[in-house]
Amino acid sequence: MARTLQSYVLGEWVTPEGDGEPIHSAVTGELLAISTAAGIDFGAVVRHAREVGGPALRALTFHERAAKLKELVGVIAEHKDELYALSAESGATLKDAWVDVDGGMGVLATYASKARKELPNAKVAVDGQPEHLSRDGSFLGQHVWTPREGVAVQINAFNFPCWGSLEKLAPALVAGMPVIVKPAPQTAQVAEALYRHVIASGVFPEGAIQFVAGHPGDLFDHLDGRDVVGFTGSAATAELLRGHRAFTARSATFITETDSLNASVLLPAAASDDAHVQRFVKEIKRELVTKAGQRCTAIRRALVPEAAVDAVVDGLRAAFANVTLGDPTDESVRMGALVSASQKQDVVRTVEKLLAGCRKVVGDDAPQLVGDVDPGAFMAPTVLLLEDRDFDAVHELEPFGPVTTIIPFHDADEAVELVKRGGGSLVTSVFGDAADPDAATVFAGIASHHGRLLFVDDVSAETQTGHGTPLPHLVHGGPGRAGGGEEMGGVRGIHHYLQRTALTGSPELITRLTGRYAPGAPRHLDVDHPFKLTYDQLRIGDALESEEREITLADIERFAELSGDTFYAHMDEEAAKASPIFEGRVAHGYFLVSAAAGLFVWPDPGPVLANFGLENLRFLTPVYPGDRIKVLFTCKDKVTRREPDQGTVTWDVEVVNQHGEVVAAYDVLTIVKREVPA
């Protein structure tokens, strides 16, 4: 008898009672498990997340949450062989499972790293620079990010039970929002195993992660404006969910990524280049074989110049001739099954509709299969060729499996119009030379209709990551039919789970509330030289006001000789006076930066280990021979580094002249020693 999948809610694993959805092996047809969430009190689940998980997460800083995310990578790595084996029952080959499991670990690792580099070791993050709202600088505005006090609900698709869940989990947990995970029933057994290990590890506090193995029941009835729902699935289901009062009346956030008719374009000039054609064919093959074409980013429409259609068809026939189908655990097999027999039938029905305007040029209705398998969920790679140019269905119907349609076109302008007829897509790839004017034509014509574009030329051919591969550093999503949402995108993905607030007040108040020095806030000038203080001893606002230095004509000429910078404004008095900007010869801006360093550095060895950057440099007032400068040097921000004995300190630098005018302003980045307990 098949077991019923368990759910983890309210601090324990429970076995729901009642009818559920059967999960069958895609390979053998065997009944594996039952997916159900009958009897679960979803109101209590939401309260548990908000009242237990949320406060525990928000008690941590961004860096502390990121460190826990990194710890999860090791937890999952210990159990990935088990996840590979379970994935095989859903039709996934080892390579498919690697994309899902290891890809998910990669997302966690990337978010752990980016959060530590790009967010503060604090509970509040600033967004951009302060806005000056008064003439005297006494009133500032600063946008800030704080964790939302709700719950992040994720509704996942069947094709990537690990990656698809972890790419939503990572930004939510870093932001400080507890998560309720709801997998698709077809692969819920893989997700259940994943979250058993994640939850058993105890890495995140109780209530931070709950797992619901079946239908979410009345879950949405308990959501409101504090909450975020991340959905991946069909456009039809997304449309149904969008109409729920959680979104229409209570303004919960709905982030959706749906199926889309992604395209790949072979530029006209590339049609006669065998290398470009081969790359194009190789990419289509990869997209149809990986996960048996069950990827929301797969190539559904292959746009080919009329002159290259025969070459592309021949290339695809040859490419798919050696693709073995069958038992995904067999090492000779390159392509597994679709997730279920019913999914295959959905694809077959869609192909039959497309054949009203296309003909099949690649595909075997009864492919030879390796191993003792049930053929019900297996489908050979299938390529259609559009014959009726007015056949709209090819731009409307998506066969979610190993199927693509070749669409001939005449020129780049027509290719643009054909791509746009997809109604908005996750990704389109373009193959051709970087210098080809058609590349710019296609980019300008289709960019606003896509979440991601991939251009492949000779330079990037060997290093490009693939048409169908979303990366955690970049946004994943798209307009129109693709759902209108965005996921990942580095720190951008974290922002979905934070509230942006415009904070206004005095510089001191903004400094105290944000933990980052704001211009005009009081400086602590009564401390020892800041370079003599460790990371732990430094406070935001600790500062140095340097002695003055007079800038001479000899300084300017020596710097010009040393640097080779003999620009006329530094060397020619008459030419400089003729300029509409200067009154005469002026000091080099970079000399002023060097002179300023001479005024604020502490020369002896100490806690400051290195200066590794300079940001936001602006030269605001010219400095002439005889002017005097001094430096206001202030601890602006502190961020811990991966190395436990080091931290990054950002210093606010203002170089002012004898009249109090700011002549240069910038940030200096230093690595400073931390006090590490023995």
Side-chain angles (χ1 to χ4, degrees):
M1 182 177 178
R3 72 182 185 91
T4 298
L5 298 181
Q6 290 190 306
S7 295
Y8 184 82
V9 294
L10 309 179
E12 63 178 346
W13 286 97
V14 299
T15 304
E17 297 180 358
D19 296 334
E21 189 163 346
I23 303 171
H24 293 272
S25 167
V27 181
T28 66
E30 173 190 359
L31 179 62
L32 301 175
I34 303 296
S35 168
T36 180
I40 290 178
D41 183 346
F42 284 104
V45 171
V46 171
R47 288 193 299 274
H48 187 69
R50 287 178 182 156
E51 298 171 7
V52 178
L57 285 171
R58 294 192 296 274
L60 305 172
T61 67
F62 288 108
H63 285 201
E64 289 168 335
R65 295 190 289 262
K68 290 182 176 296
L69 210 62
K70 183 179 179 181
E71 195 175 342
L72 278 190
V73 176
V75 171
I76 298 170
E78 290 179 6
H79 302 283
K80 64 180 183 178
D81 287 342
E82 175 192 352
L83 298 174
Y84 291 166
L86 289 169
S87 298
E89 292 290 354
S90 68
T93 64
L94 182 60
K95 184 176 181 180
D96 294 336
W98 182 89
V99 171
D100 187 29
V101 178
D102 294 66
M105 290 190 289
V107 172
L108 297 181
T110 298
Y111 267 94
S113 174
K114 293 188 77 66
R116 287 176 62 86
K117 291 177 181 177
E118 300 178 35
L119 293 173
N121 188 23
K123 300 173 185 177
V124 177
V126 298
D127 178 22
Q129 298 299 316
E131 298 286 345
H132 291 265
L133 304 176
S134 65
R135 287 182 178 273
D136 63 0
S138 64
F139 188 59
L140 300 179
Q142 174 69 66
H143 288 101
V144 297
W145 295 106
T146 56
R148 300 170 70 157
E149 296 185 356
V151 59
V153 177
Q154 54 171 261
I155 310 294
N156 296 313
F158 67 77
N159 50 348
F160 289 101
C162 297
W163 177 88
S165 176
L166 296 175
E167 60 96 2
K168 294 180 177 69
L169 184 86
L173 290 180
V174 169
M177 282 192 82
V179 178
I180 298 172
V181 178
K182 191 274 172 191
Q186 299 96 319
T187 50
Q189 77 280 13
V190 182
E192 183 206 43
L194 169 67
Y195 280 96
R196 278 194 180 279
H197 298 305
V198 166
I199 292 166
S201 71
V203 170
F204 279 93
E206 172 53 40
I209 303 172
Q210 296 182 88
F211 176 83
V212 177
H215 191 280
D218 66 350
L219 172 61
F220 284 19
D221 293 343
H222 305 281
L223 303 181
D224 58 34
R226 296 169 287 181
D227 306 310
V228 178
V229 175
F231 170 82
T232 300
S234 72
T237 304
E239 181 181 1
L240 178 66
L241 295 179
R242 271 198 188 94
H244 196 282
R245 287 183 58 80
F247 311 111
T248 61
R250 300 190 294 277
S251 300
T253 299
F254 188 53
I255 304 169
T256 178
E257 183 260 294
T258 60
D259 46 20
S260 71
L261 288 160
N262 311 294
S264 188
V265 181
L266 181 66
L267 294 177
S272 58
D273 186 321
D274 289 344
H276 283 313
V277 172
Q278 289 169 9
R279 294 184 195 112
F280 183 71
V281 167
K282 181 179 179 181
E283 199 69 28
I284 294 172
K285 176 185 176 181
R286 174 162 58 179
E287 289 302 303
L288 267 59
V289 169
T290 302
K291 296 291 287 189
Q294 299 168 113
R295 297 213 284 183
C296 55
T297 51
I299 297 170
R300 303 300 177 202
R301 298 177 298 156
L303 274 64
V304 179
E306 293 166 346
V309 169
D310 289 343
V312 170
V313 170
D314 290 343
L316 288 172
R317 283 173 177 157
F320 289 121
N322 61 357
V323 174
T324 52
L325 282 72
D327 184 348
T329 63
D330 189 303
E331 292 184 358
S332 69
V333 168
R334 294 294 173 265
M335 179 173 158
L338 279 74
V339 74
S340 66
S342 62
Q343 177 63 24
K344 175 190 171 180
Q345 290 307 311
D346 284 344
V347 176
V348 169
R349 283 192 290 269
T350 303
V351 169
E352 289 173 350
K353 294 176 182 177
L354 291 173
L355 287 174
C358 306
R359 65 182 173 92
K360 185 187 294 186
V361 293
V362 177
D364 186 346
D365 291 337
Q368 188 173 15
L369 302 176
V370 174
D372 185 15
V373 300
D374 184 327
F378 288 89
M379 181 176 182
T382 301
V383 180
L384 308 180
L385 174 61
L386 179 67
E387 294 189 312
D388 180 356
R389 295 292 187 97
D390 297 323
F391 186 59
D392 291 334
V394 75
H395 304 292
E396 298 170 353
L397 300 178
E398 182 187 20
F400 199 72
V403 182
T404 195
T405 301
I406 294 173
I407 301 176
F409 69 91
H410 177 63
D411 57 22
D413 290 332
E414 184 184 11
V416 166
E417 293 307 310
L418 290 168
V419 171
K420 288 161 63 173
R421 287 176 68 181
S425 299
L426 298 171
V427 58
T428 278
S429 54
V430 181
F431 288 76
D433 292 331
D436 187 340
D438 283 341
T441 298
V442 172
F443 165 72
I446 71 173
S448 64
H449 298 258
H450 290 78
R452 178 167 59 90
L453 295 176
L454 167 67
F455 281 77
V456 181
D457 59 12
D458 291 338
V459 175
S460 65
E462 298 303 318
T463 56
Q464 61 103 353
T465 52
H467 169 102
T469 306
L471 300 171
H473 317 72
L474 304 175
V475 295
H476 176 50
R481 179 182 174 129
E486 278 189 2
E487 297 175 330
M488 298 193 294
V491 172
R492 297 174 187 83
I494 298 172
H495 290 163
H496 294 306
Y497 305 95
L498 300 171
Q499 177 62 45
R500 179 164 49 193
T501 302
L503 174 64
T504 55
S506 69
E508 180 179 6
L509 179 138
I510 288 177
T511 296
R512 289 182 178 277
L513 294 185
T514 64
R516 188 176 79 169
Y517 180 78
R523 294 181 170 95
H524 311 306
L525 295 169
D526 56 347
V527 297
D528 205 344
H529 193 292
F531 273 24
K532 297 168 70 175
L533 302 178
T534 66
Y535 178 93
D536 305 275
Q537 292 170 332
L538 276 168
R539 299 169 298 168
I540 301 298
D542 282 352
L544 167 73
E545 183 174 354
S546 77
E547 300 294 328
E548 284 190 337
R549 171 176 174 168
E550 182 177 345
I551 304 301
T552 67
L553 188 60
D555 290 331
I556 297 172
E557 292 181 341
R558 283 196 299 268
F559 188 82
E561 181 180 0
L562 179 65
S563 67
D565 181 356
T566 56
F567 185 63
Y568 76 87
H570 310 308
M571 307 304 294
D572 187 329
E573 183 74 18
E574 291 186 8
K577 283 184 177 179
S579 162
I581 298 175
F582 304 119
E583 299 173 3
R585 292 173 69 176
V586 296
H588 304 71
Y590 298 113
F591 167 65
L592 297 176
V593 172
S594 298
L599 292 171
F600 68 68
V601 299
W602 180 258
D604 299 333
V608 177
L609 304 176
N611 172 345
F612 73 95
L614 186 150
E615 295 180 337
N616 306 316
L617 173 62
R618 295 291 184 273
F619 298 118
L620 304 172
T621 305
V623 172
Y624 301 99
D627 282 348
R628 301 187 306 278
I629 64 168
K630 68 177 180 179
V631 178
L632 294 171
F633 188 71
T634 309
C635 178
K636 179 179 182 178
D637 198 10
K638 296 167 57 179
V639 177
T640 56
R641 294 172 64 87
R642 179 180 303 173
E643 300 82 2
D645 60 344
Q646 299 173 13
T648 295
V649 177
T650 301
W651 306 88
D652 177 83
V653 181
E654 285 189 350
V655 184
V656 299
N657 63 18
Q658 68 272 23
H659 305 299
E661 299 168 320
V662 178
V663 302
Y666 50 97
D667 293 338
V668 169
L669 308 179
T670 59
I671 301 174
V672 180
K673 186 182 297 182
R674 295 182 63 191
E675 299 170 6
V676 180

